[in-house]
Amino acid sequence: MEKILKIVAVLMVITVHMCPGTSAQDAFSSVRLSGTGHKQISNTDFARSWSPESGFGLEISTPYYKGSLEAGARIFRFDAFEFENSGFWSRYVFAGWFYRYAASDQVFLVPGIRGGINFMLHDEDKVYGGEYNFKRDESEFAYELLLRLEYDITPAWGFYTSVSFHRTMLNIPIDTLYGSIGVTARIESPEWLKRVLK
Amino acid sequence: MAKTGAKMIKTLFTAIVIALFFRIDSALAFQKHDGIKTAKNDSTEAGFILRSQDLFWQTGYHPVSLDRMSFMLDSHIYGRYGPSPDFYVDGIPFDPSIFGMTFTQLIPVPVHQLKQSSRLSERGSGVRGGKPYDSGIIELYSEPLKKGISFSAAGQIGHNSGEPGPLAFDPDRVTPNVERFGPWIDGTAAVRLGDWYAKGVLRTHSYVHVDEFLQNRIINLRILPDTGELLGTEAKTTLGLAETGFDNGRLEIRLQGIKSESEEFLYFQPVAREVPTAIENQQISGMVNAAFGSGFGIRSLVQYRDRSLGYRLHRFSHNFDWRRESLMARSSAYFNSEKTTIELGAELEDIRLKADGLSGYTDQFRKGFVQLKQSFARGLMIESEGRVTEGAGNYAYSGSAGISLDLTDKWNIGLRGHYNELLPEQARPLDEWVRSGYTIFDQLDIQGLYASDGEKSRSRELSLNQQIKFTDKLIVESEIGWIENLRLHIPFQYAAYNFPFSTEPGTYLLQQNEGGRRITGNVKVQYQRSPRLRQAVALYVNRVENGDRLHNFYWQSTPELSLQHSVNYKPFRDLGIQVKTQYVSERVWPEFERIDGRSNRSFYVQYPFRLFTFENDLPAHLNIDVTVSKWFWDQRFRGVILLKNLLNSDYQTHPLGIREGFGYLLRLEMRL
């Protein structure tokens, strides 16, 4: 995973270095909305105690002066293997930045980075000694590095597939590798939205 | 795992920094953006203040905190147990310091409206713009008011990483919850019509002491032994300010009222831990500045303060039961001509104190001060200032004189000598009150020799400085000084170990006649590659040369070496990035050597496997913080995120204080 992270980090460097002229783009000119589906594809210590169901999410992005800005949310259910009532819902709310390399008019390779909060809600409180309990809800900062392959079917529609490395910075961090697919719709930004975003 | 994470973050961080630095020009070449509307607050010139410690960034102060909100500040001459620096906001003084702790939540301006610059802060002593100071000065400024009606608000919350998450369910890997910091909610409303304005400020701050290193002590202090009731461990402050004024450029009149109430844990040095305390402050100020002609004017200020420390329910009956009222009046007149600047002023402060064991206690200080700058020839100037303070028939004389010479158009050097005296009532007021009958040491079961000898503190200093302005964009400044404390009063004790409360007071001693010599120095480099990119680096050195044993002990808690580097980058009109890197060398607190190696543990039984160890020496530390801010709706809204301590290594500034690892802080601002 560290290797993947480093590769993405290097790609980020290249992105900032090697994009002359591209950033003259019209910032906030359009909005891309994506509906996404996710599956955990790594087998970590954590995955031995909690089994993830498939997750889904929503992403919204817009061109920035360089690259694109995005915000989104993803919901994931983790069922308990080992510990009773320890199943939980993970709701990751994030903001991020990515850059679209054009491999052709329709195909794009997209490295990106996200930061956000992973809100976790357990089925039950964990109670120790009959009276000391942890609360059901827990939240922590989480970052994510992603690589995405996008295909624009038309200027208004496209789909993508991606792999992302996710780390929630708990005391014992949760590292996860996700595979995702998404369907994207693109619309021109209304003037009011441009004003709000600028 | 933590090391791998740190490596990953370091790799990513390094990559981004390299990328930013090498491609700045190409990134800027194509940008065509409008000017910055709130230029002063949002330019790369202004340091971005997000946390309390940002106020002291590159000022030379090395803030020490147990809770990240209240600080002990090293005022250069008298150290961190000496008097706190003078604080000003927009030219009006206020005092956020109580018994040696500076509570930044008592600053009467929301943090999002504050502007800080290292040039607005000084350590040491002097006179600046009609403001005499004996132990440092920190001047803060708020954003200028818009014409018409304006509102602003900000909400802020912080969080240390490392919570247990689902692993709380694994008895082998259960870990403590960690600190949530905030919320802080600040609001302002203002109206400005022509030269007249009025404004109001409301601030509420709270946080919970659940950091694992403080938890045991704080919770035990708040358990009632008779009933077993566990009282809340929250610290909170509410502050309000109302101000009105008139300013036409020649005449400035301002009236200001401030009131605050806090429920706090006040770290009290003689007891070597916190005391739950209720704090109340009221302050009413009136200021009139008038300019007559182009070079003559007067400044005057009248200020009433009423401050009290009362009982906050806790396990013990420890109660400061202390109330201080003061009335201060200050006036000065200045004259500026082409070659001469002179300011002459006087100050009167009348203090009344009520506390257990004290009745009818008063202090009255009369102060006179002068500041003079005289140019003799092109590039040659002498600067001097003097202060004399009278209290109870005793006089303290302080002053400095220096010469400044432009060796070339771009190179200036200076030499300055200082001599300082401070009356004991100002250097160590607590000990003077105890000498006069204040029973606080008896109440807190503090044994020791705490009778002050009534002598003045004295010091002298010689410093050399230079400034080289290679270009308008590259400025290098340096200073080296030899400071000698001829007579320094140092409160000291070997704090003893106590499991439920971390410490118990050892034998308290006010050492009366400590002396010694230190070398201090700093080098600052400012480099502004473009209006959108500014870097500043500052190196501070504080080295004890020789001195009495306790004097040498005392300064070991100030880092011998610290390095602070900041990059402020605005790649686009609506985006700001700030990276702060700090290295601090090892610090030792000899007074806590008797708890060194002793156990500390989290309070709750959930964490049976976690034991911590107290250490009185704090290791060298490298800290990297990154802040990213994005404006919205033509700079009406802003979102800010701070990722602190990217290397995720424990950072402590006090042996009993919190240990900060990686964490984040979020802020939302609104300006209408």
Side-chain angles (χ1 to χ4, degrees):
Chain A
M1 281 183 204
E2 190 178 351
K3 278 185 184 173
I4 293 170
L5 177 94
K6 284 183 176 173
I7 290 167
V8 175
V10 170
L11 283 174
M12 294 279 296
V13 173
I14 295 169
T15 295
V16 183
H17 274 264
M18 309 289 285
C19 47
T22 48
S23 44
Q25 64 190 358
D26 189 4
F28 312 115
S29 58
S30 63
V31 174
R32 293 163 60 89
L33 279 166
S34 301
T36 58
H38 308 271
K39 188 77 182 170
Q40 181 175 306
I41 56 176
S42 57
N43 184 25
T44 59
D45 282 358
F46 180 74
R48 282 193 275 281
S49 302
W50 286 273
S51 164
E53 298 292 325
S54 297
F56 62 93
L58 188 67
E59 295 163 8
I60 182 168
S61 65
T62 182
Y64 195 48
Y65 301 103
K66 179 173 278 193
S68 296
L69 298 178
E70 69 168 350
R74 184 171 62 221
I75 295 177
F76 234 93
R77 167 73 192 177
F78 287 85
D79 285 335
F81 272 163
E82 278 195 76
F83 309 107
E84 194 180 352
N85 296 322
S86 70
F88 67 98
W89 287 93
S90 160
R91 295 158 298 181
Y92 180 43
V93 180
F94 58 86
W97 178 87
F98 61 81
Y99 185 76
R100 300 179 91 210
Y101 288 101
S104 73
D105 288 347
Q106 290 178 297
V107 178
F108 299 87
L109 181 64
V110 183
I113 184 169
R114 292 168 173 165
I117 313 296
N118 186 359
F119 295 95
M120 292 157 277
L121 181 67
H122 292 275
D123 297 340
E124 301 282 345
D125 291 352
K126 173 62 187 172
V127 180
Y128 285 85
E131 56 177 321
Y132 298 102
N133 67 314
F134 286 91
K135 289 181 179 175
R136 282 178 72 199
D137 58 315
E138 181 79 277
S139 66
E140 190 49 273
F141 179 81
Y143 69 88
E144 195 161 289
L145 295 154
L146 62 92
L147 269 176
R148 198 156 67 203
L149 194 64
E150 293 185 0
Y151 180 73
D152 285 355
I153 304 166
T154 71
W157 289 95
F159 68 86
Y160 74 71
T161 178
S162 78
V163 60
S164 55
F165 168 77
H166 173 102
R167 166 167 283 198
T168 299
M169 305 287 285
L170 296 166
N171 193 291
I172 301 171
I174 297 178
D175 294 344
T176 319
L177 211 56
Y178 287 114
S180 310
I181 56 169
V183 178
T184 301
R186 177 184 171 278
I187 57 170
E188 295 299 317
S189 296
E191 280 304 314
W192 66 265
L193 184 60
K194 283 188 192 176
R195 276 204 305 275
V196 167
L197 291 174
K198 280 188 177 177
Chain B
M1 189 70 93
K3 279 189 177 174
T4 311
K7 261 188 183 176
M8 290 179 178
I9 293 171
K10 198 174 170 185
T11 306
L12 181 62
F13 168 76
T14 309
I16 292 172
V17 168
I18 291 169
L20 289 174
F21 271 81
F22 283 87
R23 296 303 300 178
I24 292 307
D25 289 335
S26 65
L28 296 176
F30 45 78
Q31 292 163 18
K32 291 179 182 174
H33 301 307
D34 299 332
I36 300 161
K37 282 198 171 178
T38 51
K40 284 189 175 175
N41 201 49
D42 189 37
S43 71
T44 56
E45 299 282 334
F48 199 96
I49 297 175
L50 199 61
R51 295 169 297 171
S52 303
Q53 57 262 50
D54 294 336
L55 292 166
F56 314 113
W57 180 256
Q58 292 188 349
T59 60
Y61 288 98
H62 299 291
V64 168
S65 181
L66 283 84
D67 60 7
R68 291 183 292 175
M69 287 302 293
S70 56
F71 293 88
M72 279 180 264
L73 297 170
D74 162 17
S75 67
H76 183 59
I77 300 174
Y78 306 104
R80 59 183 86 263
Y81 293 154
S84 301
D86 295 342
F87 281 79
Y88 288 80
V89 167
D90 297 329
I92 294 183
F94 70 100
D95 190 359
S97 307
I98 297 174
F99 286 19
M101 295 303 293
T102 298
F103 289 85
T104 53
Q105 57 270 54
L106 297 180
I107 294 174
V109 178
V111 195
H112 74 280
Q113 288 204 324
L114 271 180
K115 180 187 171 194
Q116 182 268 352
S117 163
S118 57
R119 296 191 177 281
L120 299 172
S121 299
E122 290 285 349
R123 298 166 78 217
S125 62
V127 178
R128 190 160 76 174
K131 305 177 188 87
Y133 57 95
D134 295 309
S135 56
I137 183 171
I138 295 178
E139 295 195 70
L140 305 165
Y141 287 89
S142 59
E143 283 180 20
L145 295 178
K146 292 178 184 173
K147 288 179 181 172
I149 298 172
S150 58
F151 299 93
S152 82
Q156 186 161 318
I157 190 161
H159 195 301
N160 272 351
S161 75
E163 294 204 309
L167 298 162
F169 288 84
D170 183 343
D172 292 330
R173 298 202 284 182
V174 58
T175 58
N177 271 301
V178 293
E179 197 161 34
R180 289 180 175 81
F181 199 50
W184 305 351
I185 298 171
D186 298 336
T188 68
V191 56
R192 181 180 156 196
L193 300 171
D195 297 327
W196 174 83
Y197 75 91
K199 70 176 180 182
V201 173
L202 187 63
R203 310 187 70 194
T204 65
H205 278 203
S206 69
Y207 60 97
V208 181
H209 283 83
V210 292
D211 176 271
E212 57 200 22
F213 220 73
L214 274 73
Q215 193 178 66
N216 195 33
R217 176 168 78 246
I218 295 295
I219 289 178
N220 279 325
L221 282 170
R222 290 280 283 168
I223 282 184
L224 301 183
D226 293 342
T227 61
E229 186 184 356
L230 178 60
L231 304 169
T233 55
E234 194 175 27
K236 51 193 173 188
T237 292
T238 306
L239 180 146
L241 173 147
E243 183 179 321
T244 184
F246 171 89
D247 185 358
N248 65 3
R250 303 185 70 81
L251 177 64
E252 180 185 10
I253 301 171
R254 296 169 62 192
L255 292 170
Q256 185 191 75
I258 301 170
K259 182 174 170 59
S260 70
E261 292 181 0
S262 309
E263 292 201 324
E264 267 296 342
F265 295 88
L266 171 64
Y267 180 81
F268 189 53
Q269 187 264 335
V271 80
R273 63 167 181 256
E274 300 86 348
V275 179
T277 307
I279 304 172
E280 289 189 21
N281 280 303
Q282 289 182 66
Q283 178 174 296
I284 299 167
S285 310
M287 189 172 88
V288 177
N289 293 336
F292 307 101
S294 58
F296 175 67
I298 58 165
R299 308 181 225 256
S300 47
L301 175 78
V302 178
Q303 189 168 73
Y304 167 78
R305 278 184 194 153
D306 183 354
R307 321 184 75 198
S308 65
L309 296 181
Y311 185 66
R312 182 184 184 190
L313 187 59
H314 62 291
R315 182 186 187 98
F316 305 109
S317 57
H318 295 163
N319 184 5
F320 287 98
D321 187 20
W322 174 92
R323 183 178 177 191
R324 179 185 186 272
E325 287 180 279
S326 65
L327 183 65
M328 186 267 277
R330 180 196 298 162
S331 190
S332 64
Y334 61 86
F335 170 76
N336 295 329
S337 72
E338 193 179 340
K339 291 191 171 180
T340 306
T341 300
I342 185 167
E343 180 149 12
L344 201 62
E347 181 183 300
L348 174 67
E349 188 173 25
D350 200 353
I351 299 167
R352 280 182 296 164
L353 195 70
K354 291 179 186 168
D356 191 36
L358 283 179
S359 60
Y361 182 92
T362 59
D363 273 324
Q364 197 173 66
F365 299 109
R366 298 182 182 87
K367 188 178 286 186
F369 58 91
V370 62
Q371 185 180 20
L372 173 70
K373 291 181 186 178
Q374 176 70 50
S375 292
F376 286 105
R378 194 179 168 191
L380 178 65
M381 186 166 70
I382 62 160
E383 295 177 71
S384 62
E385 53 85 15
R387 288 154 282 135
V388 57
T389 305
E390 185 274 334
N394 295 318
Y395 289 84
Y397 301 94
S398 302
S400 64
I403 186 166
S404 167
L405 177 65
D406 290 339
L407 292 177
T408 71
D409 288 348
K410 296 179 178 177
W411 188 12
N412 172 276
I413 61 167
L415 175 69
R416 197 170 184 105
H418 287 259
Y419 176 76
N420 291 295
E421 291 184 347
L422 200 59
L423 294 173
E425 295 84 354
Q426 294 177 308
R428 288 295 305 160
L430 175 67
D431 297 277
E432 291 303 312
W433 301 331
V434 170
R435 188 170 71 138
S436 301
Y438 185 25
T439 60
I440 187 64
F441 282 22
D442 299 331
Q443 273 205 50
L444 270 60
D445 301 322
I446 302 167
Q447 305 298 318
L449 310 165
Y450 37 79
S452 166
D453 62 0
E455 293 290 326
K456 292 181 286 190
S457 299
R458 295 187 295 119
S459 68
R460 62 188 174 194
E461 183 178 5
L462 182 68
S463 63
L464 270 168
N465 63 71
Q466 67 162 355
Q467 184 191 68
I468 305 174
K469 202 171 177 180
F470 290 102
T471 69
D472 287 343
K473 294 178 178 176
L474 178 61
I475 299 170
V476 178
E477 295 169 281
S478 63
E479 182 176 20
I480 184 166
W482 292 265
I483 179 166
E484 183 172 14
N485 287 107
L486 300 165
R487 177 185 278 270
L488 181 64
H489 294 72
I490 301 176
F492 194 83
Q493 64 180 307
Y494 285 109
Y497 175 68
N498 180 301
F499 177 70
F501 306 110
S502 302
T503 56
E504 57 188 38
T507 302
Y508 178 89
L509 170 72
L510 179 67
Q511 191 66 34
Q512 316 269 4
N513 191 15
E514 288 293 297
R517 196 161 60 228
R518 287 172 288 139
I519 294 179
T520 63
N522 64 71
V523 180
K524 296 178 185 175
V525 181
Q526 292 181 58
Y527 177 48
Q528 185 156 358
R529 182 164 177 169
S530 77
R532 295 180 182 279
L533 177 68
R534 184 173 64 89
Q535 293 187 66
V537 62
L539 172 75
Y540 298 94
V541 178
N542 180 69
R543 187 178 176 81
V544 174
E545 265 202 320
N546 56 49
D548 296 326
R549 180 168 167 267
L550 204 52
H551 167 274
N552 298 352
F553 272 6
Y554 188 47
W555 294 103
Q556 284 181 46
S557 61
T558 299
E560 199 166 278
L561 191 70
S562 72
L563 182 69
Q564 296 178 327
H565 176 255
S566 62
V567 182
N568 285 58
Y569 178 44
K570 276 186 67 68
F572 309 110
R573 173 179 177 258
D574 56 350
L575 187 71
I577 300 168
Q578 178 176 266
V579 181
K580 283 182 171 177
T581 306
Q582 174 175 256
Y583 169 80
V584 178
S585 64
E586 183 185 17
R587 294 131 290 150
V588 180
W589 294 71
E591 68 201 270
F592 292 104
E593 69 181 32
R594 292 179 184 172
I595 68 165
D596 188 47
R598 304 302 294 264
S599 293
N600 183 28
R601 56 155 291 179
S602 299
F603 180 79
Y604 292 113
V605 296
Q606 291 102 311
Y607 325 126
F609 310 105
R610 301 273 292 194
L611 278 174
F612 309 98
T613 306
F614 286 113
E615 292 176 8
N616 76 320
D617 56 332
L618 307 176
H621 194 265
L622 180 66
N623 207 356
I624 301 171
D625 301 331
V626 175
T627 306
V628 179
S629 63
K630 168 82 175 75
W631 287 102
F632 295 94
W633 197 13
D634 208 13
Q635 301 197 348
R636 289 182 177 87
F637 292 88
R638 178 158 64 169
V640 184
I641 182 166
L642 161 74
L643 302 179
K644 70 178 175 68
N645 199 347
L646 289 189
L647 303 181
N648 196 22
S649 52
D650 289 338
Y651 177 46
Q652 250 184 319
T653 58
H654 190 283
L656 303 180
I658 63 163
R659 298 183 306 174
E660 286 203 75
F662 173 80
Y664 67 89
L665 203 146
L666 294 172
R667 181 158 90 196
L668 290 174
E669 300 172 15
M670 176 198 78
R671 290 172 173 81
L672 295 176

